mmCIF file of all heavy atoms in Angstrom:
data_model
loop_
_atom_site.group_PDB
_atom_site.id
_atom_site.type_symbol
_atom_site.label_atom_id
_atom_site.label_comp_id
_atom_site.label_asym_id
_atom_site.label_seq_id
_atom_site.Cartn_x
_atom_site.Cartn_y
_atom_site.Cartn_z
ATOM 1 N N MET A 1 13.236 -13.832 -30.498
ATOM 2 C CA MET A 1 13.761 -12.561 -30.086
ATOM 3 C C MET A 1 14.601 -12.802 -28.808
ATOM 4 O O MET A 1 14.158 -13.371 -27.845
ATOM 5 C CB MET A 1 12.608 -11.628 -29.804
ATOM 6 C CG MET A 1 13.034 -10.243 -29.392
ATOM 7 S SD MET A 1 11.573 -9.195 -29.293
ATOM 8 C CE MET A 1 11.981 -8.354 -27.798
ATOM 9 N N SER A 2 15.814 -12.305 -28.894
ATOM 10 C CA SER A 2 16.703 -12.451 -27.720
ATOM 11 C C SER A 2 17.219 -11.077 -27.308
ATOM 12 O O SER A 2 17.248 -10.149 -28.114
ATOM 13 C CB SER A 2 17.840 -13.410 -28.046
ATOM 14 O OG SER A 2 18.622 -12.854 -29.065
ATOM 15 N N ILE A 3 17.620 -10.984 -26.058
ATOM 16 C CA ILE A 3 18.178 -9.724 -25.575
ATOM 17 C C ILE A 3 19.668 -9.884 -25.320
ATOM 18 O O ILE A 3 20.140 -10.991 -25.064
ATOM 19 C CB ILE A 3 17.439 -9.260 -24.287
ATOM 20 C CG1 ILE A 3 17.590 -10.286 -23.191
ATOM 21 C CG2 ILE A 3 15.974 -8.972 -24.583
ATOM 22 C CD1 ILE A 3 17.038 -9.828 -21.866
ATOM 23 N N PRO A 4 20.440 -8.803 -25.415
ATOM 24 C CA PRO A 4 21.869 -8.926 -25.169
ATOM 25 C C PRO A 4 22.169 -9.405 -23.757
ATOM 26 O O PRO A 4 21.372 -9.207 -22.830
ATOM 27 C CB PRO A 4 22.370 -7.514 -25.367
ATOM 28 C CG PRO A 4 21.300 -6.802 -26.159
ATOM 29 C CD PRO A 4 20.045 -7.485 -25.840
ATOM 30 N N ALA A 5 23.326 -9.997 -23.575
ATOM 31 C CA ALA A 5 23.689 -10.555 -22.272
ATOM 32 C C ALA A 5 23.805 -9.471 -21.206
ATOM 33 O O ALA A 5 23.455 -9.687 -20.055
ATOM 34 C CB ALA A 5 24.982 -11.329 -22.381
ATOM 35 N N SER A 6 24.258 -8.253 -21.594
ATOM 36 C CA SER A 6 24.392 -7.212 -20.600
ATOM 37 C C SER A 6 23.022 -6.745 -20.128
ATOM 38 O O SER A 6 22.841 -6.449 -18.935
ATOM 39 C CB SER A 6 25.155 -6.006 -21.223
ATOM 40 O OG SER A 6 24.440 -5.515 -22.339
ATOM 41 N N ALA A 7 22.005 -6.728 -21.016
ATOM 42 C CA ALA A 7 20.664 -6.370 -20.574
ATOM 43 C C ALA A 7 20.061 -7.437 -19.687
ATOM 44 O O ALA A 7 19.368 -7.146 -18.695
ATOM 45 C CB ALA A 7 19.762 -6.132 -21.798
ATOM 46 N N ALA A 8 20.315 -8.682 -20.023
ATOM 47 C CA ALA A 8 19.827 -9.797 -19.184
ATOM 48 C C ALA A 8 20.429 -9.723 -17.811
ATOM 49 O O ALA A 8 19.722 -9.933 -16.797
ATOM 50 C CB ALA A 8 20.119 -11.120 -19.853
ATOM 51 N N ALA A 9 21.715 -9.422 -17.717
ATOM 52 C CA ALA A 9 22.392 -9.349 -16.421
ATOM 53 C C ALA A 9 21.778 -8.182 -15.602
ATOM 54 O O ALA A 9 21.598 -8.315 -14.390
ATOM 55 C CB ALA A 9 23.913 -9.164 -16.605
ATOM 56 N N GLY A 10 21.481 -7.101 -16.250
ATOM 57 C CA GLY A 10 20.870 -5.957 -15.570
ATOM 58 C C GLY A 10 19.510 -6.306 -15.024
ATOM 59 O O GLY A 10 19.127 -5.927 -13.916
ATOM 60 N N LEU A 11 18.722 -7.066 -15.814
ATOM 61 C CA LEU A 11 17.386 -7.471 -15.381
ATOM 62 C C LEU A 11 17.457 -8.411 -14.199
ATOM 63 O O LEU A 11 16.628 -8.362 -13.272
ATOM 64 C CB LEU A 11 16.598 -8.066 -16.534
ATOM 65 C CG LEU A 11 16.185 -7.091 -17.647
ATOM 66 C CD1 LEU A 11 15.520 -7.845 -18.779
ATOM 67 C CD2 LEU A 11 15.235 -6.054 -17.088
ATOM 68 N N VAL A 12 18.447 -9.330 -14.206
ATOM 69 C CA VAL A 12 18.579 -10.253 -13.101
ATOM 70 C C VAL A 12 18.950 -9.487 -11.835
ATOM 71 O O VAL A 12 18.408 -9.762 -10.756
ATOM 72 C CB VAL A 12 19.653 -11.306 -13.467
ATOM 73 C CG1 VAL A 12 20.051 -12.104 -12.195
ATOM 74 C CG2 VAL A 12 19.167 -12.254 -14.524
ATOM 75 N N THR A 13 19.827 -8.520 -11.943
ATOM 76 C CA THR A 13 20.204 -7.673 -10.791
ATOM 77 C C THR A 13 19.029 -6.945 -10.264
ATOM 78 O O THR A 13 18.817 -6.859 -9.068
ATOM 79 C CB THR A 13 21.339 -6.728 -11.187
ATOM 80 O OG1 THR A 13 22.422 -7.486 -11.724
ATOM 81 C CG2 THR A 13 21.798 -5.912 -9.977
ATOM 82 N N LEU A 14 18.221 -6.396 -11.167
ATOM 83 C CA LEU A 14 17.005 -5.659 -10.766
ATOM 84 C C LEU A 14 16.033 -6.589 -10.034
ATOM 85 O O LEU A 14 15.437 -6.235 -9.039
ATOM 86 C CB LEU A 14 16.354 -5.034 -11.964
ATOM 87 C CG LEU A 14 15.095 -4.197 -11.746
ATOM 88 C CD1 LEU A 14 15.502 -2.923 -10.918
ATOM 89 C CD2 LEU A 14 14.534 -3.792 -13.077
ATOM 90 N N ALA A 15 15.846 -7.817 -10.537
ATOM 91 C CA ALA A 15 14.921 -8.771 -9.966
ATOM 92 C C ALA A 15 15.414 -9.221 -8.549
ATOM 93 O O ALA A 15 14.632 -9.421 -7.659
ATOM 94 C CB ALA A 15 14.749 -9.990 -10.828
ATOM 95 N N GLU A 16 16.713 -9.367 -8.394
ATOM 96 C CA GLU A 16 17.239 -9.750 -7.094
ATOM 97 C C GLU A 16 16.992 -8.685 -6.055
ATOM 98 O O GLU A 16 16.746 -8.970 -4.898
ATOM 99 C CB GLU A 16 18.747 -10.074 -7.206
ATOM 100 C CG GLU A 16 19.054 -11.341 -7.927
ATOM 101 C CD GLU A 16 20.558 -11.572 -8.146
ATOM 102 O OE1 GLU A 16 21.300 -10.598 -7.854
ATOM 103 O OE2 GLU A 16 20.943 -12.624 -8.525
ATOM 104 N N GLY A 17 17.095 -7.438 -6.431
ATOM 105 C CA GLY A 17 16.836 -6.343 -5.505
ATOM 106 C C GLY A 17 15.393 -6.221 -5.137
ATOM 107 O O GLY A 17 15.063 -5.792 -4.022
ATOM 108 N N ALA A 18 14.491 -6.641 -5.991
ATOM 109 C CA ALA A 18 13.049 -6.537 -5.733
ATOM 110 C C ALA A 18 12.587 -7.555 -4.650
ATOM 111 O O ALA A 18 11.588 -7.296 -3.994
ATOM 112 C CB ALA A 18 12.281 -6.768 -6.998
ATOM 113 N N GLU A 19 13.317 -8.664 -4.498
ATOM 114 C CA GLU A 19 12.852 -9.640 -3.556
ATOM 115 C C GLU A 19 13.125 -9.249 -2.068
ATOM 116 O O GLU A 19 12.674 -9.887 -1.143
ATOM 117 C CB GLU A 19 13.491 -11.013 -3.856
ATOM 118 C CG GLU A 19 14.936 -11.112 -3.510
ATOM 119 C CD GLU A 19 15.520 -12.462 -3.852
ATOM 120 O OE1 GLU A 19 15.029 -13.081 -4.804
ATOM 121 O OE2 GLU A 19 16.457 -12.876 -3.172
ATOM 122 N N HIS A 20 13.881 -8.177 -1.877
ATOM 123 C CA HIS A 20 14.179 -7.715 -0.538
ATOM 124 C C HIS A 20 13.195 -6.706 -0.033
ATOM 125 O O HIS A 20 13.450 -5.975 0.879
ATOM 126 C CB HIS A 20 15.607 -7.133 -0.474
ATOM 127 C CG HIS A 20 16.648 -8.159 -0.751
ATOM 128 N ND1 HIS A 20 16.840 -9.260 0.017
ATOM 129 C CD2 HIS A 20 17.552 -8.242 -1.748
ATOM 130 C CE1 HIS A 20 17.825 -9.991 -0.474
ATOM 131 N NE2 HIS A 20 18.279 -9.424 -1.570
ATOM 132 N N GLY A 21 12.049 -6.606 -0.659
ATOM 133 C CA GLY A 21 11.002 -5.708 -0.209
ATOM 134 C C GLY A 21 10.887 -4.442 -1.048
ATOM 135 O O GLY A 21 9.803 -3.980 -1.289
ATOM 136 N N GLY A 22 11.961 -3.905 -1.512
ATOM 137 C CA GLY A 22 11.898 -2.727 -2.413
ATOM 138 C C GLY A 22 11.475 -1.443 -1.702
ATOM 139 O O GLY A 22 11.031 -0.540 -2.363
ATOM 140 N N ASN A 23 11.525 -1.376 -0.391
ATOM 141 C CA ASN A 23 11.126 -0.163 0.321
ATOM 142 C C ASN A 23 12.192 0.908 0.126
ATOM 143 O O ASN A 23 13.413 0.631 0.211
ATOM 144 C CB ASN A 23 10.929 -0.437 1.784
ATOM 145 C CG ASN A 23 9.750 -1.347 2.050
ATOM 146 O OD1 ASN A 23 8.804 -1.353 1.289
ATOM 147 N ND2 ASN A 23 9.767 -2.072 3.118
ATOM 148 N N HIS A 24 11.716 2.133 -0.126
ATOM 149 C CA HIS A 24 12.646 3.266 -0.216
ATOM 150 C C HIS A 24 12.639 4.028 1.108
ATOM 151 O O HIS A 24 11.577 4.317 1.630
ATOM 152 C CB HIS A 24 12.220 4.157 -1.363
ATOM 153 C CG HIS A 24 12.272 3.477 -2.685
ATOM 154 N ND1 HIS A 24 13.428 3.286 -3.369
ATOM 155 C CD2 HIS A 24 11.328 2.905 -3.448
ATOM 156 C CE1 HIS A 24 13.229 2.647 -4.484
ATOM 157 N NE2 HIS A 24 11.921 2.415 -4.562
ATOM 158 N N ALA A 25 13.785 4.371 1.565
ATOM 159 C CA ALA A 25 13.899 5.109 2.802
ATOM 160 C C ALA A 25 13.292 6.497 2.679
ATOM 161 O O ALA A 25 12.848 7.092 3.657
ATOM 162 C CB ALA A 25 15.329 5.224 3.228
ATOM 163 N N SER A 26 13.186 7.047 1.453
ATOM 164 C CA SER A 26 12.659 8.392 1.274
ATOM 165 C C SER A 26 11.164 8.446 1.328
ATOM 166 O O SER A 26 10.591 9.540 1.412
ATOM 167 C CB SER A 26 13.170 8.956 -0.015
ATOM 168 O OG SER A 26 12.654 8.218 -1.103
ATOM 169 N N LEU A 27 10.468 7.317 1.213
ATOM 170 C CA LEU A 27 9.013 7.314 1.246
ATOM 171 C C LEU A 27 8.491 7.082 2.652
ATOM 172 O O LEU A 27 8.451 5.995 3.170
ATOM 173 C CB LEU A 27 8.455 6.198 0.338
ATOM 174 C CG LEU A 27 8.681 6.435 -1.162
ATOM 175 C CD1 LEU A 27 8.155 5.233 -1.922
ATOM 176 C CD2 LEU A 27 8.025 7.703 -1.629
ATOM 177 N N ASN A 28 8.156 8.189 3.318
ATOM 178 C CA ASN A 28 7.591 8.109 4.654
ATOM 179 C C ASN A 28 6.135 7.767 4.587
ATOM 180 O O ASN A 28 5.368 8.471 3.948
ATOM 181 C CB ASN A 28 7.788 9.484 5.349
ATOM 182 C CG ASN A 28 7.381 9.448 6.811
ATOM 183 O OD1 ASN A 28 6.814 8.477 7.264
ATOM 184 N ND2 ASN A 28 7.661 10.518 7.480
ATOM 185 N N PRO A 29 5.689 6.644 5.166
ATOM 186 C CA PRO A 29 4.290 6.262 5.041
ATOM 187 C C PRO A 29 3.311 7.278 5.634
ATOM 188 O O PRO A 29 2.188 7.402 5.160
ATOM 189 C CB PRO A 29 4.185 4.908 5.780
ATOM 190 C CG PRO A 29 5.462 4.788 6.537
ATOM 191 C CD PRO A 29 6.491 5.698 5.913
ATOM 192 N N TYR A 30 3.723 7.992 6.680
ATOM 193 C CA TYR A 30 2.839 9.016 7.263
ATOM 194 C C TYR A 30 2.672 10.158 6.263
ATOM 195 O O TYR A 30 1.568 10.715 6.164
ATOM 196 C CB TYR A 30 3.423 9.519 8.582
ATOM 197 C CG TYR A 30 3.403 8.407 9.660
ATOM 198 C CD1 TYR A 30 4.583 7.879 10.099
ATOM 199 C CD2 TYR A 30 2.212 7.965 10.175
ATOM 200 C CE1 TYR A 30 4.592 6.894 11.070
ATOM 201 C CE2 TYR A 30 2.166 6.956 11.162
ATOM 202 C CZ TYR A 30 3.384 6.433 11.579
ATOM 203 O OH TYR A 30 3.375 5.485 12.526
ATOM 204 N N PHE A 31 3.743 10.534 5.602
ATOM 205 C CA PHE A 31 3.643 11.639 4.639
ATOM 206 C C PHE A 31 2.756 11.240 3.449
ATOM 207 O O PHE A 31 1.975 12.011 2.981
ATOM 208 C CB PHE A 31 5.082 11.994 4.154
ATOM 209 C CG PHE A 31 5.092 13.125 3.137
ATOM 210 C CD1 PHE A 31 4.805 14.412 3.533
ATOM 211 C CD2 PHE A 31 5.351 12.837 1.812
ATOM 212 C CE1 PHE A 31 4.836 15.431 2.576
ATOM 213 C CE2 PHE A 31 5.356 13.831 0.895
ATOM 214 C CZ PHE A 31 5.131 15.145 1.284
ATOM 215 N N VAL A 32 2.968 10.013 2.929
ATOM 216 C CA VAL A 32 2.182 9.530 1.790
ATOM 217 C C VAL A 32 0.678 9.418 2.188
ATOM 218 O O VAL A 32 -0.202 9.869 1.464
ATOM 219 C CB VAL A 32 2.708 8.196 1.278
ATOM 220 C CG1 VAL A 32 1.816 7.603 0.222
ATOM 221 C CG2 VAL A 32 4.122 8.381 0.761
ATOM 222 N N GLY A 33 0.435 8.867 3.313
ATOM 223 C CA GLY A 33 -0.969 8.718 3.759
ATOM 224 C C GLY A 33 -1.590 10.057 4.095
ATOM 225 O O GLY A 33 -2.772 10.237 3.748
ATOM 226 N N GLY A 34 -0.837 10.979 4.704
ATOM 227 C CA GLY A 34 -1.374 12.318 4.967
ATOM 228 C C GLY A 34 -1.629 13.057 3.688
ATOM 229 O O GLY A 34 -2.647 13.769 3.526
ATOM 230 N N GLY A 35 -0.765 12.926 2.688
ATOM 231 C CA GLY A 35 -0.948 13.577 1.403
ATOM 232 C C GLY A 35 -2.184 13.036 0.686
ATOM 233 O O GLY A 35 -2.960 13.776 0.082
ATOM 234 N N ALA A 36 -2.347 11.736 0.722
ATOM 235 C CA ALA A 36 -3.552 11.109 0.099
ATOM 236 C C ALA A 36 -4.842 11.568 0.819
ATOM 237 O O ALA A 36 -5.846 11.846 0.176
ATOM 238 C CB ALA A 36 -3.468 9.576 0.176
ATOM 239 N N PHE A 37 -4.780 11.716 2.156
ATOM 240 C CA PHE A 37 -5.936 12.181 2.892
ATOM 241 C C PHE A 37 -6.266 13.587 2.488
ATOM 242 O O PHE A 37 -7.447 13.941 2.328
ATOM 243 C CB PHE A 37 -5.645 12.062 4.397
ATOM 244 C CG PHE A 37 -6.752 12.473 5.252
ATOM 245 C CD1 PHE A 37 -7.930 11.710 5.340
ATOM 246 C CD2 PHE A 37 -6.674 13.624 6.032
ATOM 247 C CE1 PHE A 37 -8.981 12.059 6.134
ATOM 248 C CE2 PHE A 37 -7.720 13.995 6.867
ATOM 249 C CZ PHE A 37 -8.888 13.236 6.917
ATOM 250 N N VAL A 38 -5.299 14.440 2.375
ATOM 251 C CA VAL A 38 -5.533 15.853 2.022
ATOM 252 C C VAL A 38 -6.100 15.935 0.597
ATOM 253 O O VAL A 38 -7.059 16.709 0.368
ATOM 254 C CB VAL A 38 -4.199 16.679 2.115
ATOM 255 C CG1 VAL A 38 -4.368 18.035 1.473
ATOM 256 C CG2 VAL A 38 -3.812 16.825 3.565
ATOM 257 N N VAL A 39 -5.581 15.149 -0.340
ATOM 258 C CA VAL A 39 -6.115 15.135 -1.689
ATOM 259 C C VAL A 39 -7.576 14.695 -1.692
ATOM 260 O O VAL A 39 -8.422 15.250 -2.374
ATOM 261 C CB VAL A 39 -5.235 14.252 -2.591
ATOM 262 C CG1 VAL A 39 -5.921 13.998 -3.947
ATOM 263 C CG2 VAL A 39 -3.901 14.903 -2.808
ATOM 264 N N LEU A 40 -7.909 13.639 -0.906
ATOM 265 C CA LEU A 40 -9.279 13.203 -0.856
ATOM 266 C C LEU A 40 -10.226 14.231 -0.240
ATOM 267 O O LEU A 40 -11.338 14.397 -0.676
ATOM 268 C CB LEU A 40 -9.376 11.843 -0.086
ATOM 269 C CG LEU A 40 -8.787 10.666 -0.811
ATOM 270 C CD1 LEU A 40 -8.799 9.465 0.098
ATOM 271 C CD2 LEU A 40 -9.588 10.377 -2.090
ATOM 272 N N LEU A 41 -9.718 14.948 0.792
ATOM 273 C CA LEU A 41 -10.533 16.015 1.358
ATOM 274 C C LEU A 41 -10.757 17.137 0.353
ATOM 275 O O LEU A 41 -11.879 17.693 0.290
ATOM 276 C CB LEU A 41 -9.857 16.561 2.622
ATOM 277 C CG LEU A 41 -10.006 15.700 3.859
ATOM 278 C CD1 LEU A 41 -9.256 16.365 5.010
ATOM 279 C CD2 LEU A 41 -11.443 15.494 4.232
ATOM 280 N N LEU A 42 -9.747 17.453 -0.425
ATOM 281 C CA LEU A 42 -9.943 18.518 -1.450
ATOM 282 C C LEU A 42 -10.937 18.078 -2.525
ATOM 283 O O LEU A 42 -11.736 18.865 -2.972
ATOM 284 C CB LEU A 42 -8.592 18.826 -2.109
ATOM 285 C CG LEU A 42 -7.616 19.703 -1.249
ATOM 286 C CD1 LEU A 42 -6.261 19.813 -1.924
ATOM 287 C CD2 LEU A 42 -8.210 21.074 -1.003
ATOM 288 N N LEU A 43 -10.858 16.782 -2.902
ATOM 289 C CA LEU A 43 -11.835 16.306 -3.861
ATOM 290 C C LEU A 43 -13.260 16.319 -3.279
ATOM 291 O O LEU A 43 -14.220 16.671 -3.984
ATOM 292 C CB LEU A 43 -11.480 14.860 -4.288
ATOM 293 C CG LEU A 43 -10.304 14.701 -5.198
ATOM 294 C CD1 LEU A 43 -9.959 13.273 -5.409
ATOM 295 C CD2 LEU A 43 -10.604 15.367 -6.559
ATOM 296 N N LEU A 44 -13.399 16.008 -2.014
ATOM 297 C CA LEU A 44 -14.687 16.086 -1.369
ATOM 298 C C LEU A 44 -15.209 17.506 -1.328
ATOM 299 O O LEU A 44 -16.399 17.756 -1.589
ATOM 300 C CB LEU A 44 -14.595 15.499 0.067
ATOM 301 C CG LEU A 44 -15.878 15.484 0.872
ATOM 302 C CD1 LEU A 44 -16.925 14.537 0.226
ATOM 303 C CD2 LEU A 44 -15.597 15.057 2.303
ATOM 304 N N LEU A 45 -14.333 18.442 -0.995
ATOM 305 C CA LEU A 45 -14.708 19.864 -0.969
ATOM 306 C C LEU A 45 -15.188 20.341 -2.356
ATOM 307 O O LEU A 45 -16.199 20.985 -2.482
ATOM 308 C CB LEU A 45 -13.523 20.695 -0.513
ATOM 309 C CG LEU A 45 -13.746 22.195 -0.458
ATOM 310 C CD1 LEU A 45 -14.673 22.558 0.689
ATOM 311 C CD2 LEU A 45 -12.424 22.930 -0.331
ATOM 312 N N VAL A 46 -14.407 19.984 -3.380
ATOM 313 C CA VAL A 46 -14.779 20.413 -4.740
ATOM 314 C C VAL A 46 -16.125 19.793 -5.153
ATOM 315 O O VAL A 46 -16.977 20.463 -5.724
ATOM 316 C CB VAL A 46 -13.665 20.063 -5.708
ATOM 317 C CG1 VAL A 46 -14.122 20.198 -7.153
ATOM 318 C CG2 VAL A 46 -12.445 20.908 -5.466
ATOM 319 N N THR A 47 -16.285 18.514 -4.829
ATOM 320 C CA THR A 47 -17.525 17.828 -5.201
ATOM 321 C C THR A 47 -18.727 18.460 -4.493
ATOM 322 O O THR A 47 -19.781 18.632 -5.131
ATOM 323 C CB THR A 47 -17.427 16.338 -4.828
ATOM 324 O OG1 THR A 47 -16.301 15.788 -5.489
ATOM 325 C CG2 THR A 47 -18.668 15.600 -5.232
ATOM 326 N N THR A 48 -18.602 18.755 -3.232
ATOM 327 C CA THR A 48 -19.766 19.301 -2.498
ATOM 328 C C THR A 48 -20.041 20.749 -2.862
ATOM 329 O O THR A 48 -21.188 21.207 -2.844
ATOM 330 C CB THR A 48 -19.561 19.162 -0.975
ATOM 331 O OG1 THR A 48 -18.338 19.798 -0.621
ATOM 332 C CG2 THR A 48 -19.540 17.705 -0.535
ATOM 333 N N ARG A 49 -19.000 21.515 -3.205
ATOM 334 C CA ARG A 49 -19.206 22.929 -3.547
ATOM 335 C C ARG A 49 -19.881 23.122 -4.869
ATOM 336 O O ARG A 49 -20.659 24.016 -5.066
ATOM 337 C CB ARG A 49 -17.881 23.679 -3.577
ATOM 338 C CG ARG A 49 -17.239 23.816 -2.211
ATOM 339 C CD ARG A 49 -18.027 24.794 -1.328
ATOM 340 N NE ARG A 49 -17.473 24.819 -0.022
ATOM 341 C CZ ARG A 49 -18.069 25.336 0.986
ATOM 342 N NH1 ARG A 49 -19.235 25.963 0.850
ATOM 343 N NH2 ARG A 49 -17.521 25.357 2.179
ATOM 344 N N PHE A 50 -19.553 22.217 -5.799
ATOM 345 C CA PHE A 50 -20.124 22.366 -7.165
ATOM 346 C C PHE A 50 -21.326 21.484 -7.401
ATOM 347 O O PHE A 50 -21.803 21.353 -8.578
ATOM 348 C CB PHE A 50 -19.030 22.095 -8.232
ATOM 349 C CG PHE A 50 -17.969 23.152 -8.181
ATOM 350 C CD1 PHE A 50 -16.674 22.823 -7.780
ATOM 351 C CD2 PHE A 50 -18.233 24.449 -8.556
ATOM 352 C CE1 PHE A 50 -15.682 23.817 -7.732
ATOM 353 C CE2 PHE A 50 -17.256 25.439 -8.521
ATOM 354 C CZ PHE A 50 -15.985 25.089 -8.145
ATOM 355 N N ASN A 51 -21.824 20.815 -6.397
ATOM 356 C CA ASN A 51 -23.013 20.005 -6.539
ATOM 357 C C ASN A 51 -24.253 20.908 -6.431
ATOM 358 O O ASN A 51 -24.558 21.429 -5.383
ATOM 359 C CB ASN A 51 -23.047 18.934 -5.461
ATOM 360 C CG ASN A 51 -24.210 17.991 -5.626
ATOM 361 O OD1 ASN A 51 -24.844 17.960 -6.693
ATOM 362 N ND2 ASN A 51 -24.555 17.252 -4.572
ATOM 363 N N ARG A 52 -24.929 21.098 -7.542
ATOM 364 C CA ARG A 52 -26.124 21.973 -7.519
ATOM 365 C C ARG A 52 -27.331 21.137 -7.812
ATOM 366 O O ARG A 52 -27.359 20.278 -8.706
ATOM 367 C CB ARG A 52 -25.955 23.026 -8.637
ATOM 368 C CG ARG A 52 -24.828 23.979 -8.362
ATOM 369 C CD ARG A 52 -24.754 25.038 -9.374
ATOM 370 N NE ARG A 52 -23.600 25.921 -9.115
ATOM 371 C CZ ARG A 52 -23.217 26.899 -9.912
ATOM 372 N NH1 ARG A 52 -23.840 27.070 -11.057
ATOM 373 N NH2 ARG A 52 -22.178 27.623 -9.592
ATOM 374 N N ASP A 53 -28.335 21.353 -7.031
ATOM 375 C CA ASP A 53 -29.604 20.648 -7.279
ATOM 376 C C ASP A 53 -30.288 21.202 -8.535
ATOM 377 O O ASP A 53 -30.273 22.370 -8.768
ATOM 378 C CB ASP A 53 -30.549 20.810 -6.086
ATOM 379 C CG ASP A 53 -30.011 20.143 -4.839
ATOM 380 O OD1 ASP A 53 -29.248 19.161 -4.988
ATOM 381 O OD2 ASP A 53 -30.323 20.567 -3.706
ATOM 382 N N ARG A 54 -30.896 20.325 -9.274
ATOM 383 C CA ARG A 54 -31.569 20.778 -10.515
ATOM 384 C C ARG A 54 -33.006 20.970 -10.285
ATOM 385 O O ARG A 54 -33.644 20.418 -9.481
ATOM 386 C CB ARG A 54 -31.325 19.773 -11.581
ATOM 387 C CG ARG A 54 -29.861 19.644 -11.922
ATOM 388 C CD ARG A 54 -29.628 18.658 -13.002
ATOM 389 N NE ARG A 54 -28.204 18.470 -13.186
ATOM 390 C CZ ARG A 54 -27.686 17.897 -14.203
ATOM 391 N NH1 ARG A 54 -28.444 17.461 -15.186
ATOM 392 N NH2 ARG A 54 -26.398 17.782 -14.262
#
């Protein structure tokens, strides 16, 4: 099985870009970490509110 030359060239270009770290300027680590923290707090809240002793 072989892929067309244009697809291979596109994959090579994609791989070359990945070796430079691949960081996106739009992803703010404080925003992502804060969002994950809020989601975990909400999960903790839901878990503790609906935990009923039997």
